[in-house]
Amino acid sequence: MKRLAVIGLVALSAACVTQPTASSSPAATGEPAALTDAAIRELIVGGWIVSAESDYYIPGFSETLWEEFTEDGAEIVHVYEDDTCVKEIETMNTRWSINDGVLITDYDDGSRDRDQVVSIDQQSMTLKLEDGTTGIRKRADGCGDRSSI
C-alpha cells in the first residue's frame, strides 16, 4: 500500500493559472496568459508535500512524505518512519519533465506517469492525474513542514 501511495505521490495545488483550451485563449477570455512549459519548470523546482485536500491523501501516511524536484530533472521522494520526519526509511529517485503542460514522471522500471498541470504558483500545485483524480501539493521545506496546509 505504501509503495502505491508513493507512486501516486510522485505522479504530482490554490490555482493561479489554468492550461488553455482552443476555446479559452487569453485573447478570447480576457484572462492572463497560461503558464508556459518553461514557467512550470521554474515553479515546480523545490520541495512539496501532499495536501489534505488531495484525492489520494492518506491520513497517517501522507504526512511522512516529502518530494523534491531539482532543476536538472531529478525528483526525489523521501519517505519517513512517521510524521516527526526524523528517520528516513525509503528514497525513490525518478526523472521529471514538462511537455505541453503535462508533468511526465519516468521511473527506473521503465513506467511513466503523465499528469496534467492544472495550476501552479509559488505555494501550491494542482494536478489532474491519469486516473482522473486530483493531486494537490503544497510548497514545503521538508516532510515536517505543514505550515502551508
Side-chain angles (χ1 to χ4, degrees), residues 76-106:
I76 307 153
V77 178
H78 305 271
V79 182
Y80 294 87
E81 186 173 55
D82 57 35
D83 64 2
T84 64
C85 304
V86 174
K87 182 178 179 186
E88 190 168 347
I89 60 173
E90 183 178 0
T91 302
M92 183 167 44
N93 295 290
T94 67
R95 300 293 301 168
W96 68 272
S97 60
I98 302 291
N99 188 16
D100 293 331
V102 175
L103 170 62
I104 301 167
T105 306
D106 290 311

Side-chain angles (χ1 to χ4, degrees), residues 37-60:
D37 285 356
I40 295 170
R41 282 185 207 101
E42 184 176 324
L43 284 166
I44 204 170
V45 171
W48 299 90
I49 55 175
V50 176
S51 170
E53 305 164 59
S54 196
D55 286 347
Y56 54 85
Y57 177 83
I58 303 168

Side-chain angles (χ1 to χ4, degrees), residues 13-33:
S13 292
C16 83
V17 175
T18 303
Q19 292 298 316
T21 62
S23 63
S24 66
S25 71
T29 64
E31 295 178 10

